[in-house]
């Protein structure tokens, strides 16, 4: 009887191990203030019933763009590079495990996952991402997209929903000192500072401050003269996001020392964003002026070096897998022989992950 019971316990243990992979300590130290933007909106027919985001409309700007056909996916994807893992589903737990392992091996400590709300298909990916992040020692915060916050009431609802749904998960990012979550607000300028003040100032009509939903909220710095916007709106810091150097004033590395001094003067957080290049010619064929070649890895080195030299104590990376804009660190491959897609040759497919680890070993890790 005892033998049968022991065998049954062993069987249950093996099943549990098969369902839940063991935690894997990272081979390298994770930088606690290095953040990578992660896109969880991809899908394929096998898991999601559609080629989500691998298929994509060509974005129209001019009259002559009107006849451009949509990009179908299925080998013809909405990107200038092709992922080494193929046209994956973000909701695939095995995919989440591989991605979180890559991020940990790069030495990145925090993953800023796209938040489009509970109704968006990307929401289905979150359980697997959080569980995989925990196993690899990573923490997850969110970048709130404009589509989920058409007005300030909707914006408040998104902060509340994200904290309600994942605030108790061990992989949910909380500041080690204050315990506050971290949110990035993409295109924060789309709502006026007076609206943000309702949420982010202690005296705001719908304030998040001082309660269960208080958080560090980071706005997007675009133009040179935006400092007043973030102060009046009650933001806790600013970031620059764009990997196309010079696309905005904030995304110009020569301005980062000035932004760091401004943040220090106001007791706020400055998080410059670095990237390996920018190429969106398939989805925005009219946007070639903002294309930035990778220059054999030199472009990424220059941006990261500028972040180190700026005096910033945080850094964000655009991106792990924004394939539409060609900013990804994730390994790529040439999918065919007709020259349709770029890859990283002659660099190795994992070059940008390894190079990130190199730069983070040189990025300050003292008190923020």
């Amino acid at each position: 009887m005892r033998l049968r019971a022991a065998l049954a316990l062993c069987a249950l243990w093996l099943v549990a191990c098969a369902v839940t992979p063991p935690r894997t300590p990272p081979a390298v130290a994770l930088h606690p203030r290095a953040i990578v933007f992660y896109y969880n909106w991809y899908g394929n027919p096998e898991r999601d019933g559609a080629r989500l985001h691998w298929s994509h409309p060509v974005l129209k700007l001019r009259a002559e763009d009107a006849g451009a056909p949509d990009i179908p996916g299925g080998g013809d994807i909405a990107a200038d590079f092709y992922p080494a893992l193929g046209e994956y589903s973000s909701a695939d737990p095995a995919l989440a495990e591989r991605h979180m392992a890559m991020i940990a091996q790069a030495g990145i400590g925090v993953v800023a996952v796209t938040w489009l709300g509970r109704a968006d298909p990307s929401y289905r990916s979150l359980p697997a991402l959080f569980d995989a992040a925990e196993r690899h020692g990573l923490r997850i915060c969110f970048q709130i997209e404009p589509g989920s916050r058409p007005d300030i009431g909707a914006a408040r609802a998104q902060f509340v929903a994200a904290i309600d749904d994942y605030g108790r998960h061990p992989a949910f990012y909380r500041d080690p000192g204050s315990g506050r979550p971290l949110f990035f607000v993409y295109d924060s300028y789309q709502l006026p500072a007076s609206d943000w003040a309702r949420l982010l100032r202690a005296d705001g009509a719908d304030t998040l401050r001082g309660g269960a939903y208080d958080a560090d909220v980071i706005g997007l710095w675009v133009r040179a003269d935006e400092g007043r916007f973030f102060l009046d709106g009650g933001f806790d810091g600013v970031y620059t996001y764009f990997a196309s150097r010079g696309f905005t004033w904030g995304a110009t590395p020569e301005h980062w020392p000035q932004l760091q001094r401004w943040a220090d003067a106001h007791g706020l957080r400055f998080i410059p964003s670095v990237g390996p290049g920018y190429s969106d010619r398939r989805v925005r064929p009219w946007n070639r002026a903002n294309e930035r070649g990778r220059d054999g890895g030199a472009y990424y080195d220059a941006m990261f070096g500028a972040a180190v030299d700026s005096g910033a104590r945080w850094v964000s990376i655009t991106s792990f897998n924004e394939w539409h804009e060609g900013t990804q660190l994730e390994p790529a491959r040439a999918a065919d022989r007709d020259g349709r897609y770029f890859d990283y040759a002659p660099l190795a497919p994992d070059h940008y992950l390894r190079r990130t680890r190199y730069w983070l070993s040189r990025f300050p890790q003292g008190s923020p």
Side-chain angles (χ1 to χ4, degrees):
M1 181 68 72
R2 282 196 294 269
L3 179 60
R4 284 200 298 273
L7 290 171
L9 286 172
C10 287
L12 288 171
W13 181 82
L14 289 170
V15 168
C17 288
V19 172
T20 304
R23 292 178 182 169
T24 305
V28 297
L30 303 181
H31 198 297
R33 294 192 303 283
I35 303 158
V36 68
F37 294 107
Y38 182 93
Y39 290 85
N40 55 320
W41 55 27
Y42 299 103
N44 57 35
E46 294 77 17
R47 183 170 289 271
D48 308 284
R51 294 186 172 93
L52 302 176
H53 275 261
W54 302 118
S55 63
H56 203 282
V58 175
L59 302 178
K60 316 298 193 295
L61 179 68
R62 307 162 304 186
E64 55 264 38
D65 300 323
D70 289 351
I71 301 165
D76 183 7
I77 67 170
D80 298 334
F81 297 80
Y82 197 87
L85 294 179
E87 295 171 46
Y88 51 72
S89 167
S90 296
D92 181 356
L95 183 279
E97 195 72 29
R98 295 185 74 173
H99 277 179
M100 295 303 106
M102 290 179 190
I103 291 170
Q105 288 304 308
I108 300 165
V110 185
V111 186
V113 172
T114 294
W115 177 275
L116 283 159
R118 291 168 172 163
D120 190 80
S122 60
Y123 186 78
R124 297 197 301 266
S125 70
L126 296 179
L129 285 172
F130 270 87
D131 290 347
E134 182 189 4
R135 286 190 289 273
H136 292 280
L138 301 168
R139 295 295 177 262
I140 290 179
C141 66
F142 288 110
Q143 179 170 227
I144 308 295
E145 295 285 343
S148 68
R149 47 174 180 83
D151 54 50
I152 203 64
R156 191 183 199 284
Q158 301 310 323
F159 293 123
V160 169
I163 294 171
D164 278 349
D165 293 354
Y166 285 98
R168 294 179 180 84
H169 195 286
F172 186 75
Y173 179 88
R174 290 186 181 275
D175 184 272
S178 68
R180 284 151 54 118
L182 176 66
F183 290 97
F184 292 88
V185 180
Y186 184 74
D187 281 359
S188 48
Y189 59 83
Q190 290 189 0
L191 296 175
S194 57
D195 280 4
W196 287 114
R198 289 172 52 187
L199 300 188
L200 303 182
R201 296 184 65 89
D203 58 353
D206 301 303
T207 188
L208 298 172
R209 301 306 189 191
Y213 300 108
D214 202 350
D216 292 322
V217 180
I218 311 299
L220 178 65
W221 191 301
V222 177
R223 297 182 300 273
D225 57 351
E226 290 190 321
R228 195 74 251 165
F229 172 88
F230 299 108
L231 297 175
D232 291 347
F235 286 87
D236 301 284
V238 297
Y239 74 122
T240 60
Y241 184 76
F242 299 105
S244 177
R245 182 175 186 143
F247 172 59
T248 67
W249 189 90
T252 305
E254 289 76 11
H255 300 150
W256 292 350
Q258 178 180 341
L259 283 170
Q260 182 61 57
R261 291 191 297 271
W262 177 88
D264 286 342
H266 295 285
L268 300 181
R269 188 177 300 177
F270 171 54
I271 309 179
S273 302
V274 305
Y278 184 94
S279 181
D280 64 351
R281 63 176 70 186
R282 296 217 68 209
V283 293
R284 299 185 187 95
W286 39 265
N287 194 34
R288 298 294 289 275
N290 291 311
E291 187 171 316
R292 303 290 183 269
R294 296 193 172 215
D295 195 18
Y299 183 91
Y300 192 47
D301 286 345
M303 282 203 92
F304 231 124
V308 171
D309 292 343
S310 73
R313 295 176 288 279
W314 294 74
V315 66
S316 57
I317 301 162
T318 306
S319 63
F320 181 78
N321 63 339
E322 219 297 13
W323 290 93
H324 304 314
E325 296 181 348
T327 63
Q328 75 287 337
L329 305 182
E330 185 182 359
R333 63 181 170 88
D336 52 32
R337 298 179 181 178
D338 66 4
R340 182 186 304 173
Y341 299 102
F342 304 140
D343 60 17
Y344 308 148
L347 303 173
D350 67 344
H351 170 82
Y352 291 99
L353 298 173
R354 291 188 287 108
R355 202 62 181 162
T356 300
R357 186 169 65 201
Y358 165 85
W359 279 109
L360 289 179
S361 72
R362 286 152 177 78
F363 203 82
Q365 295 200 33
S367 298

